[in-house]
Amino acid sequence: MAFAKRMLGSLHGYKAQLALAVRLAIAAVAAYAIARALHLMLPLWAVLTSLIVTQMSVGRSLKATRDYMLGTIGGAAYGGAIAILIPHSGEGGLLALLVLAVAPLAFIGAINPSLSAATVTAVIVLLVPAMNHANPVDSTIDRLFEVTVGALTGLVVSFLVLPSRAISQIRINSAQILELLAAAFAELLAGLTRGLDNDALHRIQGGLGTALANLHVMGLEAERERAAYLSSGPDTGPLLRTIQRLRHDVVMIGRASVVPLPANVQARLARPLADVSKAIVDYMRSAAASLRNGSGAVDIRPVEAALQAYAAEVAAIRTEGLIRGVPVDVAERFFALGFSLEQMRQNLNDLDRCRADWGEKPAGAKV
């Protein structure tokens, strides 16, 4: 029983992936059954197409369906046209025709990856008639029917079976990035007392770039869903831009942490920096939980108080002349740290407004 509970607990964090697996299985079975019922020549292509267009979110499925259908129609039309219009016989003629089909479409696919399916489709349209002694026109029509069945099946399954909206995934991904930023921020501030090398900086900030790139893609998918009236919710732009700026703040603080502060300055700033670290880390983690759950109050006032206390101590240090005479690079990083923390204060206030705008999850929202 305890083992079963642990397994269920570990699977709980993979709800979106499990839902995708269920959708893929249903899409494959449904596409095959429909293709067989319609007596399509190669049900395989209907099944493969349904797997290609069934994606993690509805928005991604929409884009995959559009791209794959455009590529298929273009590739089938081009492959069928050259098969019909250019006479050929024997293996040599077929090879020459294959080069003529692949080279231009591969070039177009390299320029516009959304049309990459055109090359594969043209090859199928050319080779299947040669292997089965079929008519190129029939092969083109069959290919279009097979892909259409697979695409529509995958799209319908994405809408109806455990649908996952990109807007809900943005909540989860944003929360995860905020938690990564909080952990990186705490370690970077601690590094001001010992200095950090480039390897340490890369380790601390590792994964943030990839996570932000994935979040940007998810934002595009969410806007695609909103444009198609498939989901509702706030504009994703402000939240994504704010998280991007917070990442820039962490990068700047990391650069300031390369050289440790002078011992006398460290002693004066130890308590204010510890308070700043605790307040900001606590706020970002609370904001992450609020975004993930769609509820929960978060108080940003401790962040403001801690940063004001830090700024007051910095002003006192400058008045007392403790920065005079230190190496130029140390002084530059000292002032860069203050600037970065001020920028972070503004961005955290923006994050608080974004978090309030997102508010409660829409009724019936699924992750």
Side-chain angles (χ1 to χ4, degrees):
M1 182 64 71
F3 175 76
K5 288 182 178 179
R6 286 198 300 271
M7 287 295 296
L8 289 175
S10 63
L11 289 175
H12 182 75
Y14 296 94
K15 289 190 296 183
Q17 290 82 356
L18 288 171
L20 175 62
V22 171
R23 289 197 299 273
L24 286 170
I26 293 176
V29 171
Y32 180 78
I34 295 171
R36 294 289 292 176
L38 295 176
H39 303 291
L40 298 181
M41 185 173 66
L42 289 174
L44 167 67
W45 298 115
V47 174
L48 291 178
T49 302
S50 71
L51 296 178
I52 290 171
V53 304
T54 304
Q55 298 288 322
M56 187 68 79
S57 69
V58 173
R60 195 176 300 183
S61 294
L62 282 171
K63 183 178 187 302
T65 301
R66 184 201 66 185
D67 292 349
Y68 201 74
M69 286 301 298
L70 286 176
T72 297
I73 293 171
Y78 180 74
I82 62 173
I84 294 170
L85 299 177
I86 301 178
H88 61 282
S89 60
E91 291 294 326
L94 183 60
L95 288 175
L97 208 61
L98 194 60
V99 171
L100 185 60
V102 170
L105 294 180
F107 177 72
I108 293 172
I111 296 174
N112 187 353
S114 63
L115 299 177
S116 58
T119 307
V120 175
T121 302
V123 170
I124 293 169
V125 168
L126 282 175
L127 294 185
V128 168
M131 293 185 294
N132 296 339
H133 306 289
N135 188 302
V137 176
D138 293 338
S139 176
T140 301
I141 294 173
D142 286 337
R143 173 63 177 163
L144 290 174
F145 272 120
E146 291 154 6
V147 169
T148 300
V149 166
L152 291 179
T153 301
L155 199 57
V156 170
V157 168
S158 296
F159 287 155
L160 300 181
V161 180
L162 302 175
S164 177
R165 299 290 190 258
I167 200 79
S168 297
Q169 293 183 25
I170 283 178
R171 290 180 178 274
I172 296 173
N173 291 5
S174 297
Q176 291 172 343
I177 293 175
L178 286 176
E179 289 166 348
L180 288 174
L181 287 170
F185 177 77
E187 194 165 352
L188 290 173
L189 280 193
L192 289 169
T193 61
R194 61 181 184 273
L196 296 169
D197 57 26
N198 286 329
D199 290 340
L201 288 176
H202 291 155
R203 175 186 58 78
I204 293 170
Q205 300 185 15
L208 280 172
T210 301
L212 282 166
N214 292 337
L215 184 63
H216 176 71
V217 172
M218 196 67 64
L220 296 177
E221 294 170 7
E223 292 306 314
R224 193 175 295 116
E225 290 176 4
R226 279 159 48 88
Y229 301 101
L230 296 175
S231 65
S232 60
D235 182 7
T236 60
L239 176 62
L240 270 56
R241 288 191 295 270
T242 299
I243 292 176
Q244 180 71 50
R245 290 197 299 269
L246 285 170
R247 194 271 174 120
H248 291 161
D249 295 335
V250 169
V251 169
M252 292 297 296
I253 291 170
R255 292 173 181 170
S257 303
V258 173
V259 178
L261 295 173
N264 58 342
V265 176
Q266 286 184 31
R268 293 285 296 272
L269 292 180
R271 179 59 183 271
L273 279 175
D275 292 342
V276 165
S277 178
K278 183 179 186 307
I280 290 181
V281 168
D282 288 349
Y283 173 79
M284 284 202 284
R285 287 174 176 165
S286 298
S290 176
L291 277 172
R292 182 183 284 111
N293 301 326
S295 62
V298 183
D299 189 1
I300 198 172
R301 288 176 296 180
V303 173
E304 297 282 356
L307 287 173
Q308 286 175 6
Y310 170 80
E313 193 61 34
V314 166
I317 289 172
R318 295 181 62 183
T319 300
E320 295 170 21
L322 297 183
I323 298 301
R324 299 194 193 107
V326 301
V328 174
D329 60 336
V330 176
E332 287 177 346
R333 285 177 169 82
F334 172 78
F335 292 115
L337 175 63
F339 174 78
S340 299
L341 289 175
E342 173 59 24
Q343 289 294 113
M344 198 166 197
R345 182 190 68 79
Q346 297 176 18
N347 290 328
L348 287 173
N349 276 287
D350 289 341
L351 175 63
D352 202 56
R353 286 189 287 270
C354 291
R355 185 196 57 78
D357 288 342
W358 281 65
E360 298 289 332
K361 289 182 181 178
K366 295 183 181 292
V367 174

